[in-house]
Amino acid sequence: MDNNKSWTKDKILAIYNKPLMELIFDAGIIHRQHHDPLKIQVSKLISIKTGGCPEDCGYCPQAARYHTNIEKNNLMPVEEVLAKAEAAKATGSSRVCMGAAWRNVQDGEDFDQVIEMVKGLSAMNMEVCCTLGMVTENQATRLAEAGLHYYNHNIDTSEEYYKEVISTRGFNDRIKTLENVRKSSLKVCSGGIIGMGETVNDRIGMLMGLLKLSEAPESIPINALVPVEGTPLEEQEIVPIWDVVRMIATTRIVFPKSTVRLSAGRTQMSKEGQALCFMAGASSIFAGDKLLTTPNPGDNEDMELFNLLGLTPTEKQKDNTGKVKIRKGQPVLETVADEKWSRPGHVIERNVKATEKGKEIRKKAHPVPPEGRVTELTENSVK
Ligand code: SAM
Ligand code: DTB
Ligand code: SF4
């Protein structure tokens, strides 16, 4: 999908700041030119490995260093994933997105198990997406060969504000991962979060980041921050729905052909607010009563909303399972030298504070660490 390189920050800013009614109208027209406005693509998120992540992403309840009230789980058995997907298919999901709380994919047993999940889901005639952290081109190609359609990896925000949210993984590695995914013939899903304390300029900067990719992402999730207790961003105010609508509409105009997904944060939005997002060009949602660890409206509520608005879930797109184009002369299963992912390591005060608070809480709960207890931070060793 072409990326229109003639966009500038100023041009996008002028769109974002248009009178809201004009903005929604303009975005709605573009939406109708490229998409069926009565169809919504519905994806089911399955958290296949939850919590215990060694990273410090300031928004994330799954980072081991913060103390959050989530249920941690090791990698889910393949059968359990397939059963969850079967149930989601029955309620209208055409796509399953599997999420793992990993910094990056590591070759080995766990990755082999994920490959089996992808094969199983793809055989069920569903679109399959994974979000497993950073990937090499080789790993992305293995996923593509197994039948994966999309890989999700968000750039999250502008390159500048990213440094105030995450210190353990670099913005450039996000871009590198997305280009690895692109080369492997998988479709790219990448977007970000609003409501983290960023400026409007940062929101536009996030879109500029996506425009710098060699091709536009096929799918762009716009998440509204879900502020989770214990994370560095726990005290952020819920982002106003008007900002969400503006961001969705602007994304729709800048990326006319991409699917724009109204992602996390829908439990914080009214039905009317979500309807405005669909008017403004959102064409996809996550279904079910849970995202990865936080609540989501649930199937009944979404069905009610769809009925009210006259929307119907899209069917699965044309099946290309087993027809993945692997580039000639590329030995896909041969191990290549591992990518050297960066670790900027600068100090982010609010992340440090939340980490200290997490340590205190754990110390109170376990004054002496039980013998043989492995610290959570070593679960996914850092490269
Ligand atoms: N570990 C992998 C990674 O970081 O790429 C995959 C899972 S990660 C949870 C996927 C995305 O969820 C993040 O990049 C972020 O955009 C979004 N996310 C995480 N926590 C969130 C929150 N509290 N509110 C909104 N979005 C969130
Ligand atoms: C995306 O952009 N949003 C989804 C999906 N990709 C993986 C994740 C949202 C997570 C919200 C916080 C949670 O439930 O843990
Ligand atoms: Fe959360 Fe993914 Fe960051 Fe881990 S890498 S803390 S799972 S967003």
Side-chain angles (χ1 to χ4, degrees):
M1 221 182 271
D2 280 352
N3 233 342
N4 180 349
K5 301 285 181 188
S6 67
W7 283 110
T8 62
K9 217 169 178 175
D10 286 347
K11 279 189 194 165
I12 302 178
L13 194 60
I15 287 175
Y16 184 96
N17 284 326
K18 269 189 177 193
L20 189 60
M21 288 295 116
E22 287 296 304
L23 178 58
I24 296 175
F25 184 78
D26 291 354
I29 289 189
I30 291 182
H31 186 48
R32 278 162 173 70
Q33 284 165 358
H34 299 277
H35 307 265
D36 180 343
L38 296 181
K39 291 280 186 199
I40 296 284
Q41 190 272 322
V42 180
S43 283
K44 170 71 186 160
L45 265 177
I46 302 179
S47 185
I48 57 171
K49 190 269 171 187
T50 313
C53 184
E55 303 308 293
D56 79 334
C57 309
Y59 47 74
C60 190
Q62 301 198 65
R65 66 190 67 210
Y66 310 134
H67 186 269
T68 61
N69 197 12
I70 61 162
E71 204 182 305
K72 300 185 189 97
N73 284 113
N74 290 333
L75 191 61
M76 211 179 251
V78 177
E79 303 70 42
E80 197 176 334
V81 174
L82 299 187
K84 282 185 190 291
E86 200 67 68
K89 195 178 173 187
T91 51
S93 294
S94 57
R95 186 182 305 171
V96 162
C97 177
M98 295 186 281
W102 287 336
R103 166 179 165 85
N104 61 290
V105 171
Q106 298 191 28
D107 295 321
E109 262 177 44
D110 280 1
F111 186 41
D112 294 345
Q113 195 167 318
V114 173
I115 294 286
E116 290 311 308
M117 294 173 192
V118 172
K119 285 184 183 160
L121 291 171
S122 163
M124 279 171 52
N125 207 23
M126 291 188 94
E127 284 187 320
V128 198
C129 175
C130 274
T131 180
L132 314 168
M134 297 173 296
V135 274
T136 63
E137 186 183 343
N138 225 44
Q139 290 164 337
T141 307
R142 273 193 73 192
L143 287 164
E145 280 195 311
L148 194 77
H149 299 85
Y150 285 82
Y151 195 86
N152 166 246
H153 195 62
N154 291 338
I155 61 169
D156 281 341
T157 184
S158 67
E159 184 166 4
E160 296 75 32
Y161 196 64
Y162 184 95
K163 295 189 187 87
E164 298 188 34
V165 180
I166 304 166
S167 79
T168 58
R169 50 211 307 237
F171 189 82
N172 280 342
D173 287 340
R174 301 256 181 176
I175 303 292
K176 181 78 176 85
T177 289
L178 293 172
E179 295 300 355
N180 287 343
V181 170
R182 182 57 80 196
K183 283 189 223 149
S184 75
S185 88
L186 287 171
K187 290 183 179 158
V188 170
C189 172
S190 186
I193 312 180
I194 64 168
M196 298 193 292
E198 74 288 339
T199 61
V200 167
N201 262 315
D202 290 313
R203 293 176 189 167
I204 310 305
M206 195 273 279
L207 297 180
M208 288 300 290
L210 297 178
L211 281 168
K212 281 189 198 138
L213 296 172
S214 56
E215 289 182 52
E218 279 78 6
S219 180
I220 306 181
I222 301 296
N223 295 278
L225 177 76
V226 181
V228 177
E229 199 181 332
T231 62
L233 297 179
E234 64 181 358
E235 277 171 14
Q236 282 298 320
E237 302 246 325
I238 301 294
V239 66
I241 185 67
W242 311 116
D243 291 25
V244 182
V245 176
R246 279 191 188 280
M247 191 63 191
I248 295 269
T250 309
T251 308
R252 164 52 64 234
I253 293 171
V254 177
F255 298 95
K257 294 187 187 159
S258 305
T259 298
V260 178
R261 183 171 304 113
L262 177 60
S263 300
R266 286 197 302 121
T267 53
Q268 303 155 187
M269 299 172 200
S270 67
K271 284 195 167 57
E272 293 85 344
Q274 292 180 63
L276 279 177
C277 291
F278 298 137
M279 282 288 291
S283 52
S284 171
I285 56 162
F286 283 120
D289 57 11
K290 206 172 182 186
L291 291 163
L292 293 171
T293 65
T294 61
N296 199 44
D299 293 332
N300 291 342
E301 216 173 292
D302 281 338
M303 242 348 112
E304 201 182 298
L305 180 61
F306 283 11
N307 288 338
L308 258 172
L309 303 178
L311 300 173
T312 46
T314 45
E315 303 294 317
K316 173 179 178 283
Q317 299 290 303
K318 195 169 136 272
D319 190 6
N320 63 358
T321 308
K323 293 179 202 149
V324 175
K325 281 183 265 134
I326 304 298
R327 288 174 309 141
K328 281 209 178 106
Q330 186 74 10
V332 292
L333 293 178
E334 205 172 86
T335 310
V336 289
D338 271 341
E339 203 92 57
K340 288 280 173 273
W341 303 114
S342 70
R343 175 166 280 272
H346 56 284
V347 175
I348 304 174
E349 285 300 338
R350 60 188 176 193
N351 290 13
V352 173
K353 235 167 115 183
T355 305
E356 291 305 321
K357 204 168 137 194
K359 268 190 206 153
E360 281 302 308
I361 296 172
R362 271 189 286 267
K363 208 154 82 189
K364 272 191 198 141
H366 297 282
V368 181
E371 223 171 290
R373 184 165 157 251
V374 183
T375 68
E376 286 155 332
L377 290 180
T378 61
E379 270 185 32
N380 184 353
S381 65
V382 172
K383 284 195 175 147

